[in-house]
Amino acid sequence: MRTVHEAAGGDAGLRRLAHAWHARVMADEVVSHAFSHGFHPEHSERLAAYWSEALGGPTTYSDAYGDETSVVRMHSGNGPHEEMDRRAIICFDQALTDLGLADDDPVRRVLHDYFTWATNTTMSRYHGSADDVPDGLPIPRWSWDGLVTPVAPHDT
């Protein structure tokens, strides 16, 4: 069976998705606030590398940029932001539509489930401070059946 990474078009497909999602969030009045302080010029490429690794592809992200701890710290210490998270998921679903994935496509379903899980768990777990994020977290792996790599009990 192909990995989710392969079914999503590999690195190139996930780069297209990252670009489409980023365009959607920058156009959203709530989610764009997360980028108001600026963002890395290769944000979409780095995001695609992260998604690729999480979805069964190469370890490009952790080899070149960091581990899960570094990613979660970037998203931590900003207080609760449920509305922003909800709208980020909507933007992700719109990006899937932009790429032509039909509502009944199994790839769309697994990508949606992964993004929703990541947004609502590890990426929004540490509201108080980025310093609360434990060191050495591995990038969680996601398959057709959901989470593969266990994460620390306080992160589930």
Side-chain angles (χ1 to χ4, degrees):
M1 176 181 275
R2 297 186 307 168
T3 64
V4 176
H5 169 262
E6 292 166 336
D11 292 345
L14 291 167
R15 269 193 306 277
R16 286 190 299 277
L17 178 57
H19 284 286
W21 179 78
H22 189 76
R24 286 288 186 168
V25 299
M26 294 308 291
D28 184 281
E29 64 187 27
V30 173
V31 187
S32 63
H33 176 73
F35 296 95
S36 62
H37 63 279
F39 52 90
H40 194 281
E42 294 178 359
H43 174 264
S44 294
E45 288 74 18
R46 293 164 68 117
L47 178 60
Y50 176 83
W51 286 345
S52 290
E53 186 166 339
L55 297 170
T59 59
T60 304
Y61 189 89
S62 58
D63 293 343
Y65 305 116
D67 60 6
E68 182 73 358
T69 296
S70 64
V71 174
V72 175
R73 283 182 178 152
M74 282 189 278
H75 293 87
S76 297
N78 300 307
H81 41 75
E82 289 88 9
E83 178 64 10
M84 184 179 293
D85 294 344
R86 186 184 73 74
R87 289 176 73 144
I89 294 165
I90 290 169
C91 289
F92 187 82
D93 289 340
Q94 291 169 332
L96 293 170
T97 298
D98 293 344
L99 295 181
L101 289 168
D103 288 342
D104 61 351
D105 187 323
V107 175
R108 181 188 181 106
R109 170 53 49 206
V110 74
L111 290 172
H112 166 84
D113 290 350
Y114 163 71
F115 188 84
T116 300
W117 172 83
T119 300
N120 290 325
T121 59
T122 57
M123 296 304 155
S124 64
R125 170 76 53 205
Y126 301 96
H127 300 296
S129 172
D131 295 334
D132 296 336
V133 180
D135 291 331
L137 295 174
I139 293 175
R141 294 289 186 131
W142 196 265
S143 77
W144 294 101
D145 297 321
L147 184 64
V148 174
T149 303
V151 292
H154 59 278
D155 286 342
T156 57

